[in-house]
């Protein structure tokens, strides 16, 4: 059920979301859209931007911005949970499903893990199977508008069922791996998997 656009204050909506099982433990509802990231906001140049897939694939792939934008598009509505305890519900995303991107390469049999690669060296690790869910996409629109640069524009990953640090902003590609390789926050004390429903916030796995 859509909670946004209804009458009521934040606390009422939060109670409703909790009753409906939409808020993971220890999270509170925000009606705003916080901006959260490490480092600066990169400048986007469509002429030089590319998206690369390599690692455990038969042939590495490189797509230009034009080629990426020509891929089939999908809309997904999903909730977003940040490890710093805010959740934003009913986000409308538009972009390319991870599975539609993966179709363009031939993963080697051992490929079970991924490392997402973003501007300025930001990375996040996600098991391949978790990205193959029907609500995981590379998004370039949010709530029917181009994704603002501070929220990851031109392109970000959205992984609704894991904490927000896995939803890599300014994403530029990914590695397929036969062994787990930890990403930026995961090496710095965050949980390797990050399931908000099990409160996998920090360290351990
Ligand atoms: N490249 C990059 N992506 C990132 C981050 C970051 O520091 N760098 N922070 C993550 C965290 S912790 C969260 S909660 C979300 C926040 O997304 P938002 O700023 O659009 O709300 O982006 C994630 N993606
Ligand atoms: Mo976060």
């Amino acid at each position: 059920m859509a909670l946004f656009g209804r009458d009521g204050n934040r606390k009422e909506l939060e109670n409703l979301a909790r009753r409906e099982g939409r808020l993971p433990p220890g999270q509170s509802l925000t009606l705003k859209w916080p901006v959260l990231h490490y480092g600066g906001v990169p400048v986007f140049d469509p002429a030089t931007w590319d998206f690369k897939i390599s690692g455990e694939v038969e042939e590495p792939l490189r797509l230009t911005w034009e080629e990426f934008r020509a891929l089939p598009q999908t809309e997904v509505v999903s909730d977003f949970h940040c490890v710093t305890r805010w959740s934003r519900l009913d986000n409308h995303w538009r972009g390319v499903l991870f599975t539609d991107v993966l179709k363009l390469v031939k993963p080697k049999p051992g490929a079970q893990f991924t490392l997402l690669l973003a501007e300025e060296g930001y990375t996040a690790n996600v098991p391949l199977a978790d990205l193959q869910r029907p609500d995981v996409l590379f998004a370039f629109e949010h709530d029917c508008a181009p994704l603002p640069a501070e929220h990851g524009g031109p392109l970000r990953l959205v992984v609704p069922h894991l904490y927000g640090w896995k939803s890599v902003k300014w994403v530029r590609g990914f590695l397929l791996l036969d062994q787990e390789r930890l990403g930026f926050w995961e090496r710095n004390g965050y949980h390797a998997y990050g399931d908000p429903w099990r409160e996998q916030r920090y360290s351990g796995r």
Side-chain angles (χ1 to χ4, degrees):
M1 185 191 307
L3 289 174
F4 278 170
R6 288 206 199 178
D7 291 337
N9 65 28
R10 196 201 63 82
K11 201 70 204 169
E12 284 166 7
L13 290 170
E14 180 173 279
N15 290 335
L16 186 57
R18 221 178 279 291
R19 276 204 304 280
E20 289 186 352
R22 298 273 298 276
L23 269 188
Q27 295 295 109
S28 58
L29 181 72
T30 179
L31 302 180
K32 304 190 181 111
W33 195 16
V35 171
L36 206 62
H37 56 260
Y38 182 84
V41 175
V43 174
F44 169 52
D45 176 3
T48 55
W49 187 96
D50 61 7
F51 188 96
K52 288 179 178 160
I53 307 174
S54 63
E56 297 294 310
V57 283
E58 295 300 338
E59 258 187 76
L61 181 77
R62 176 181 178 270
L63 298 170
T64 64
W65 177 244
E66 205 177 324
E67 288 166 340
F68 197 95
R69 289 300 305 244
L71 297 175
Q73 299 182 10
T74 304
E75 261 181 63
V76 170
V77 180
S78 59
D79 298 344
F80 192 96
H81 311 294
C82 172
V83 71
T84 62
R85 299 183 182 272
W86 54 267
S87 292
R88 190 184 195 278
L89 306 187
D90 298 320
N91 297 281
H92 289 245
W93 301 103
R94 184 177 182 81
V96 183
L97 289 177
F98 179 86
T99 51
D100 283 330
V101 175
L102 192 67
K103 279 177 195 159
L104 306 175
V105 294
K106 215 169 158 214
K108 291 188 180 171
Q112 287 187 56
F113 304 94
T114 72
L115 189 69
L116 280 301
L117 309 172
E119 302 281 355
E120 299 187 5
Y122 186 88
T123 54
N125 58 281
V126 181
L128 179 57
D130 284 83
L131 297 180
Q132 290 174 295
R133 297 191 179 202
D135 60 354
V136 173
L137 80 168
F138 294 104
F140 42 70
E141 272 182 30
H142 177 271
D143 289 351
C144 301
L147 187 61
E150 66 269 26
H151 287 292
L155 190 73
R156 79 178 300 169
L157 179 68
V158 181
V159 189
H161 70 287
L162 298 177
Y163 278 125
W165 82 80
K166 307 283 190 180
S167 289
V168 173
K169 308 202 276 193
W170 314 296
V171 65
R172 292 286 299 271
F174 59 91
L175 300 175
L176 288 166
L177 299 166
D178 55 12
Q179 281 186 351
E180 186 176 63
R181 197 185 299 176
L182 295 181
F184 175 79
W185 285 118
E186 295 86 353
R187 281 197 307 273
N188 285 288
Y190 281 27
H191 197 279
Y193 183 64
D195 178 354
W197 298 96
R198 289 186 282 167
E199 282 207 84
Q200 295 176 333
R201 297 178 191 274
Y202 307 109
S203 72
R205 46 191 60 218

